Amino acid sequence: MSPRPPTPLVAGNWKMNTTVGEGLELARALRDALDGSGVEVELLPPFPHLVGVRGVLQGSSLLLGAQDCYAEDKGAFTGEVSPAMLVGICDDVLLGHSERRHILGESDELIARKLIAARRHHLRVILAVGETEAERLEDTTMAVVDRQLRSALESVEVGDGELVVAYEPVWAIGTGRTATPAQAEEVCVHIASRLDELLGEVANTVPILYGGSVTAANAAELFAEPHIHGALVGGASLKVDAFTAIVRAAEAARSGDAGSR
Ligand code: PEP
């Protein structure tokens, strides 16, 4: 019998959007719509919102994550936020998002150090990987994803339920050009097999998300793919109706999976 798929996760990356007041209002509306969901639902607001949003989500099933953290616990790193500061506030931290890799110049080596630091503080890590459009056209997608996974995971101990991987083709993020379900599934299958090699049995507990222009209109067909266990959602996570519809699609796909076993 094949292992039970990990619990799906739909995570909303708000990026650098919303004032603190707007963020609290959005968090309240999402909590009211999505508390008690049959899948994991997580909000990733900007740093200044985290303490307030934690208060809003208290007692609900929604998880809270940070969009990044630094690789050191404290010290002279002006403007950075350490994983030690997120403990007790956040469940998860997103690392390796393509905007950090490509706009802010983060290297594979820095992302690996951040991952070690986050795990030292027992934060679950959502590790984002994915190729640029040029890399896809050069047919190096799998090699790029391999390099990003290996470099992030080869020097860290990861246990059951401590990691999520998000496959996010850079050309699909914020562009409205979603990968087709077949394109996304092909890379997610590849990621699953690399995780098997890198993590052994723990790999079965790692949800693999797709991210890149996920909307209410395309979520269901992406979630129908067997190796896509949810989504990392950017733009649509700022709209209550759209994000709720994406979560409902993940719930429907999950109950379909359970029915087919
Ligand atoms: C993201 O920020 O991770 C993302 C996938 O953005 P969008 O959904 O807007 O493409």
Side-chain angles (χ1 to χ4, degrees), residues 13 15 94 97 99 168 172-176 211-214 232-236:
N13 174 16
K15 313 194 192 202
L94 172 63
H97 190 279
E99 286 148 18
E168 298 209 306
I173 297 180
T175 60
S213 299
V214 175
L232 181 55
V233 183

Side-chain angles (χ1 to χ4, degrees), residues 68-91:
D68 188 40
C69 70
Y70 195 54
E72 303 288 341
D73 288 354
K74 62 177 181 171
F77 303 102
T78 301
E80 293 297 322
V81 172
S82 92
M85 295 169 183
L86 301 176
V87 173
I89 303 170
C90 291
D91 304 290

Side-chain angles (χ1 to χ4, degrees), residues 48-255:
H49 303 36
L50 286 172
V51 171
V53 174
R54 172 85 280 163
V56 170
L57 300 186
Q58 207 67 43
S60 79
S61 61
L62 273 69
L63 301 173
L64 180 64
Q67 296 174 18
D68 188 40
C69 70
Y70 195 54
E72 303 288 341
D73 288 354
K74 62 177 181 171
F77 303 102
T78 301
E80 293 297 322
V81 172
S82 92
M85 295 169 183
L86 301 176
V87 173
I89 303 170
C90 291
D91 304 290
D92 293 356
V93 60
L94 172 63
L95 295 176
H97 190 279
S98 73
E99 286 148 18
R100 299 216 59 92
R101 291 179 190 267
H102 297 293
I103 300 176
L104 295 157
E106 290 196 3
S107 64
D108 288 335
E109 189 265 334
L110 177 59
I111 293 161
R113 286 177 48 222
K114 289 182 172 194
L115 205 151
I116 290 169
R119 284 304 311 138
R120 193 161 61 235
H121 292 283
H122 308 289
L123 294 161
R124 182 171 71 165
V125 172
I126 304 175
L127 173 66
V129 298
E131 82 287 3
T132 62
E133 178 150 46
E135 288 162 343
R136 178 158 280 263
L137 292 172
E138 286 159 8
D139 214 9
T140 54
T141 296
M142 303 307 181
V144 168
V145 166
D146 284 352
R147 190 200 72 228
Q148 293 171 338
L149 287 175
R150 181 158 290 111
S151 126
L153 297 175
E154 70 190 351
S155 323
V156 70
E157 283 279 312
V158 176
D160 287 0
E162 294 176 350
L163 179 71
V164 175
V165 172
Y167 167 55
E168 298 209 306
V170 181
W171 47 272
I173 297 180
T175 60
R177 289 174 56 204
T178 323
T180 64
Q183 284 174 321
E185 172 70 1
E186 183 187 24
V187 183
C188 291
V189 167
H190 182 84
I191 289 172
S193 96
R194 279 297 162 275
L195 291 176
D196 272 344
E197 286 170 23
L198 289 162
L199 305 177
E201 286 199 356
V202 168
N204 296 325
T205 72
V206 178
I208 303 173
L209 314 184
Y210 168 76
S213 299
V214 175
T215 64
N218 59 30
E221 59 179 11
L222 289 159
F223 297 155
E225 297 293 340
H227 294 82
I228 299 178
H229 311 126
L232 181 55
V233 183
S237 72
L238 296 166
K239 299 177 198 124
V240 178
D241 289 354
F243 192 65
T244 300
I246 294 167
V247 172
R248 299 293 176 235
E251 290 168 345
R254 188 178 202 211
S255 49

